[in-house]
Amino acid sequence: MTPLAAAVEGSRPGLNITIFAIFVAITLVIVFRASRDTRTAADYYAAGRAFSGAQNGIAISGDYLSAASFLGIAGSIAINGYDGFLYSIGFLVAWLVALLLVAEMLRNTGKFTLGDMLAFRMRQRPVRAAAATSTLVVSLFYLLAQMAGAGVLVALLLGVSGDVGQDLVIAVVGAIMIVYVLVGGMKGTTWVQIVKAVLLIAAAAAMTVWVLAEYNMNLSSLLQDAVNHGGKTGAKLLDPGVAYGKTGTTKLDFLSLALALVLGTAGLPHVLMRFYTVPSAKDARRSVVWAIGLIGLFYLFTLVLGYGAGALVGPEKIAKAPGGSNAAAPLLALQLGGPWLLGFVAAVAFATILAVVAGLTITASASFAHDVYANVLKRGSGDDRSGEVRVARITAVVVGAVAIVGGVLAKNQNVAFLVALAFAIAASANLPTILYSLFWKRFNTTGALCSIYGGLLITIVLIVFSPAVSGSKTSMIKSADFHWFPLSNPGIVSIPLSFLLGWLGTMLSREHDEAKWEEMQVRSLTGAGAEKAG
C-alpha cells in the first residue's frame, strides 16, 4: 500500500470530486458576475474602490490565511508542537506593523500598486521598474507555497497517486486560478476571498469544537494526549526547542524566521494592494482591525487543530502522508468525520489556495502592467488604459505558468516554510524602502534602488546557498550540496543590510526634493488629494 493510499483509506474519491466541482462552479459564477462591472483599470486593479472596511478586512483575512496557515501551521504544530505555533504568533504580530505604520499612509499616497507610492517623490521610471521586479519575485515565492499545498490537498481529495498525478493537479489549479484573474479582476478575486474566509474560519471553528469535544472540552487533556502519541519527541511538544532548539545555529535560524514574519507582512505586495480597494484611509485602517481580529481567532483554532492532529492521527501517519506535515488537517478531518468531513475540509482548503493564488497573480500582473508597461515603457502617457489591462491579463497567464512549474518542483516542502521565505524577501526588499519613503525626508531615488535591488539580491543569494535549497534531508534539491550560508531563513542578515543599503545609497546621492516630501507628508497624514488617486 502506497503512503497516499494509506492516507486516504476510507475516503470516497467520487464524493470528493463532487464537492470539489460544486465549489469551483460556485466560485466561477461569482467571478463571472463580478466581471460584468470590470471596465476600467481602477475596476480591474482596485475593484472600483467599492468595498467597505469590513468587507475588505474579511477579504484581507481570506488573502492572508493561506495554505501556510491551514496546512503548514497545523502540520508544524502536530509535528513540532510549541515551535510550530510560533509561526502563528509571527504572522499575527506582523499586522501591528501594518496597522500602525503602513495601511493608512499607503492608501493616502498610492493608486494601484506599491510603485505608485514609491514613485510619488522620486524619479518615476527606475523606481517603478524596481518595485515591479520586487513584486514579481515576492509573488512568485509565495505562489510556490500555495501551489505546493494544492498538490497535496487535491491529491488527498481525489485519491491521485504518484508524482505525475500531483503534478497534473498543480497544473489544473494553476489553470483555474488564471481564469479567475483573467475574467474577474480584483473585484471577482475579492468576492472569492470573502467567501473563502467565511468558509475557512467556520470550518476551522467547527473542527476545533469537535476536537475539544473528544476531550470533554478540556484543552489540557488534549495536550496531554498529543504528548502521549508524539513518539520520541512527544515529551517535548509543549516546550520550545523541538524544531529550533537543537543547536545555536537553529536558535539563530528561528530568530531570523521570526524577524522575517513580523516585518514581512507590511512589505507583501498582495497585502498592500488590498488597501487600494477601499474608498478612504479610514476604511483601510478599519480593514486591518477586522483582519487582525479574524486572523487572531483563526490562529487560536490552529493550535487546537495541530495538537488534535498529533493526538488523534499521530505524527508517524502524518509524516508518511503525501506532502508530509501539510496533510495533518485533512487527515484530522478524515479521522473526526470520515469521508464527508474530509471532502468538505479539503474543498475549503482548496478554496483557500485558489483565493490566495488569484490575489497574488493579480498583484503581480497589475504591477507589471501599471508600473512597467504604462509608466516605464509608455512613460505614463495615460492614453492606453485598455492596453494596460490587456497587458495585465497576459502577464497573469505568464505568472500562472511559472507558478505551475515552481509548484511542481517545491511540492514536498513544508508550505509554512516556503511562505516564510517570501516574507523574508518582502521584509528585505520592500519594507525598508516603504518606511524610508514615508518617514525620511532625505530619502531619494538612489537609496530606493539600492534598498530594493540590494535587498532582493542579498536575500535570493542567501536562500539559494542555504540548507533550504541543498545540503539537508528537507532541501528542495536533495541530491546536491552547494550551501555555505548556515541559516534556512536569511532575514536576520538580509533585512538590516537592506536598511543599510537604503541609507548608504541616499547619502551618496545629492538628489533631494523638499517640496515633494512636504506634499507627501500632508497627503499621507491627512488624506488631502487621496481621492484623486482613484
Side-chain angles (χ1 to χ4, degrees):
M1 181 177 290
T2 66
L4 179 62
V8 296
E9 184 178 0
S11 68
R12 301 175 190 169
L15 172 65
N16 297 341
I17 292 172
T18 302
I19 297 174
F20 170 76
I22 290 171
F23 170 75
V24 171
I26 291 172
T27 51
L28 284 175
V29 169
I30 292 171
V31 167
F32 275 102
R33 286 180 63 86
S35 70
R36 294 184 299 183
D37 298 326
T38 301
R39 299 183 180 89
T40 66
D43 290 333
Y44 188 78
Y45 296 146
R49 310 196 197 284
F51 287 95
S52 68
Q55 288 174 326
N56 195 48
I58 298 171
I60 286 175
S61 65
D63 203 0
Y64 192 70
L65 294 175
S66 63
S69 300
F70 192 54
L71 301 179
I73 292 177
S76 191
I77 292 172
I79 302 297
N80 300 316
Y82 181 95
D83 282 15
F85 187 59
L86 291 174
Y87 276 97
S88 299
I89 296 172
F91 284 136
L92 180 59
V93 171
W95 276 101
L96 295 178
V97 179
L99 173 64
L100 298 175
L101 297 180
V102 174
E104 186 174 354
M105 298 176 80
L106 193 73
R107 173 61 188 89
N108 282 338
T109 54
K111 185 175 182 181
F112 297 135
T113 66
L114 174 62
D116 285 329
M117 188 277 283
L118 297 180
F120 191 90
R121 51 182 284 229
M122 299 174 197
R123 297 201 307 273
Q124 292 259 333
R125 298 179 74 200
V127 170
R128 285 187 182 276
T133 301
S134 175
T135 296
L136 287 168
V137 173
V138 173
S139 298
L140 285 173
F141 263 86
Y142 214 112
L143 276 167
L144 285 184
Q146 309 311 313
M147 303 301 276
V152 174
L153 254 183
V154 187
L156 281 167
L157 184 69
L158 305 182
V160 177
S161 60
D163 285 344
V164 175
Q166 287 195 53
D167 295 348
L168 182 62
V169 162
I170 291 172
V172 171
V173 171
I176 297 173
M177 172 256 299
I178 291 170
V179 171
Y180 280 2
V181 175
L182 290 183
V183 175
M186 180 58 88
K187 189 169 291 186
T189 299
T190 299
W191 280 115
V192 170
Q193 287 168 344
I194 290 173
V195 171
K196 163 255 167 149
V198 172
L199 286 174
L200 179 63
I201 294 172
M207 285 182 64
T208 297
V209 172
W210 200 328
V211 169
L212 290 173
E214 295 284 321
Y215 297 91
N216 296 317
M217 308 306 287
N218 189 324
L219 180 61
S220 296
S221 298
L222 165 62
L223 297 178
Q224 185 59 53
D225 202 31
V227 169
N228 295 340
H229 289 86
K232 295 179 181 179
T233 61
K236 302 177 182 178
L237 287 179
L238 301 183
D239 300 317
V242 172
Y244 297 105
K246 295 170 185 172
T247 65
T249 300
T250 56
K251 292 177 182 177
L252 189 63
D253 207 358
F254 170 71
L255 183 61
S256 185
L257 167 68
L259 192 65
L261 295 183
V262 170
L263 296 180
T265 295
L268 289 174
H270 70 291
V271 169
L272 299 176
M273 194 170 174
R274 290 234 53 90
F275 298 142
Y276 298 129
T277 63
V278 292
S280 69
K282 181 180 178 181
D283 288 302
R285 186 172 62 250
R286 189 179 292 124
S287 298
V288 179
V289 174
W290 269 84
I292 289 174
L294 293 172
I295 292 166
L297 182 65
F298 179 82
Y299 284 144
L300 289 177
F301 295 154
T302 63
L303 179 66
V304 176
L305 297 180
Y307 279 114
L312 298 174
V313 179
E316 290 187 6
K317 188 173 182 180
I318 292 171
K320 292 178 181 178
S325 61
N326 296 325
L331 291 178
L332 176 62
L334 181 62
Q335 180 74 24
L336 290 173
W340 280 95
L341 188 59
L342 169 64
F344 178 73
V345 167
V348 169
F350 182 69
T352 299
I353 289 172
L354 283 178
V356 175
V357 295
L360 288 163
T361 304
I362 196 168
T363 299
S365 60
S367 182
F368 181 83
H370 181 64
D371 291 324
V372 177
Y373 174 76
N375 287 287
V376 175
L377 300 179
K378 292 290 184 178
R379 297 178 181 270
S381 60
D383 59 353
D384 189 21
R385 290 300 184 191
S386 62
E388 185 179 327
V389 174
R390 185 178 66 252
V391 170
R393 288 185 164 125
I394 294 171
T395 307
V397 175
V398 175
V399 169
V402 173
I404 290 170
V405 174
V408 168
L409 295 175
K411 64 177 176 286
N412 291 318
Q413 292 289 304
N414 180 278
V415 177
F417 173 71
L418 288 172
V419 167
L421 296 183
F423 273 68
I425 298 174
S428 302
N430 293 344
L431 185 63
T433 316
I434 292 171
L435 295 183
Y436 278 149
S437 186
L438 289 173
F439 298 106
W440 188 19
K441 181 192 295 188
R442 180 75 171 79
F443 195 53
N444 57 33
T445 305
T446 304
L449 297 179
C450 289
S451 182
I452 293 175
Y453 286 127
L456 204 58
L457 182 63
I458 290 169
T459 310
I460 291 177
V461 167
L462 293 181
I463 288 173
V464 168
F465 293 102
S466 76
V469 174
S470 71
S472 74
K473 295 179 180 178
T474 58
S475 298
M476 288 187 182
I477 305 173
K478 296 180 176 61
S479 58
D481 183 2
F482 47 82
H483 88 283
W484 49 260
F485 184 68
L487 306 180
S488 294
N489 194 293
I492 199 167
V493 174
S494 60
I495 296 171
L497 283 179
S498 299
F499 274 100
L500 177 63
L501 287 172
W503 173 84
L504 186 62
T506 299
M507 300 310 292
L508 292 176
S509 172
R510 295 181 178 179
E511 178 193 354
H512 180 51
D513 190 337
E514 181 120 3
K516 267 293 183 184
W517 157 255
E518 291 174 353
E519 181 185 350
M520 184 174 184
Q521 280 294 96
V522 172
R523 182 156 157 178
S524 66
L525 294 173
T526 68
E531 290 76 15
K532 296 177 182 178

